[in-house]
Amino acid sequence: MTPERLRELYGEVHPKAAAKVIDKLDHHCRDFIANSTLLVMATTNGDQLDVSPKGDPAGFVQVEDDTHVIIPDRLGNNRLDGMMNILKNPAISLLFMIPTVTETLRINGTAEISEDPDLCARFALRGEAPKTVLRVRADKILTHCGKALLRGGIWKPETWPQSRPIPTLYEMVRDHSGMTVEDTSQKAVDDLYEETLY
């Protein structure tokens, strides 16, 4: 496959799509970020790519100025894939989502990790401040149309499964790792989430 063949198959980019890329966080971007409860973060160390979801109540990502956003890092599994990548390669891409809104907002840029205690304290929830935050400098900002989310029915409850269609997290961990997991029930997973959410 070549770039020329792709253009032959798909045609030229629509003028509106080509023109929508900006490099400053305008009022539309700020409103979108302020209402977002979920983002997907992509990072790379130059050899491999990692993607990770980040979520909190609306407003969890703060706009610092026209080109910077700050993201708290909440408790997780301590793999630290994304942050280890950033230490090697600061390139980052963020995709923001708002429940019921089919469009998404993408920011491409570079990230740095901060453990500044005053900055981390600004993001405390339930009395717990994150250990670190990410400061992301936006270089490329654009909205995505809602076709993918509409096709996937992500905000349409009538399209959702009536019951969980896959095994529990602990069942999958047991099978993937070969480790002994004494309680693989969904209640055990839910109890873990409740105890370690913040």
Side-chain angles (χ1 to χ4, degrees), residues 33-183:
I33 292 167
N35 286 281
S36 175
T37 61
L38 179 68
L39 68 84
V40 178
M41 180 179 81
T43 59
T44 181
N45 63 12
D47 296 317
Q48 66 179 23
L49 181 70
D50 288 292
V51 180
S52 178
K54 305 290 181 185
D56 254 338
F60 78 101
V61 175
Q62 294 183 7
V63 176
E64 187 175 46
D65 56 35
D66 287 348
T67 56
H68 291 86
V69 297
I70 304 176
I71 307 167
D73 187 70
R74 301 295 179 198
L75 293 174
N77 56 21
N78 290 338
R79 284 184 54 92
L80 307 180
D81 293 323
M83 288 197 288
M84 291 294 189
N85 287 345
I86 288 165
L87 292 177
K88 291 185 177 181
N89 183 334
I92 193 168
S93 188
L94 308 171
L95 188 70
F96 290 86
M97 287 174 265
I98 302 172
T100 75
V101 174
T102 55
E103 293 76 28
T104 55
L105 177 73
R106 174 155 57 104
I107 294 177
N108 289 359
T110 55
E112 61 180 1
I113 303 167
S114 174
E115 59 175 330
D116 178 83
D118 293 331
L119 186 55
C120 291
R122 286 173 32 191
F123 294 88
L125 276 179
R126 298 188 188 179
E128 294 292 333
K131 291 179 172 63
T132 63
V133 297
L134 287 181
R135 178 181 276 114
V136 176
R137 187 192 74 212
D139 300 319
K140 178 180 178 182
I141 308 161
L142 64 150
T143 54
H144 285 277
C145 75
K147 291 177 185 175
L149 273 65
L150 286 169
R151 291 175 185 136
I154 192 71
W155 306 130
K156 296 179 180 178
E158 66 273 17
T159 70
W160 298 349
Q162 295 302 302
S163 60
R164 184 180 174 93
I166 59 173
T168 70
L169 171 66
Y170 284 163
E171 289 176 292
M172 291 187 280
V173 168
R174 177 200 62 202
D175 295 345
H176 289 169
S177 69
M179 296 172 62
T180 299
V181 181
E182 292 183 12
D183 186 351

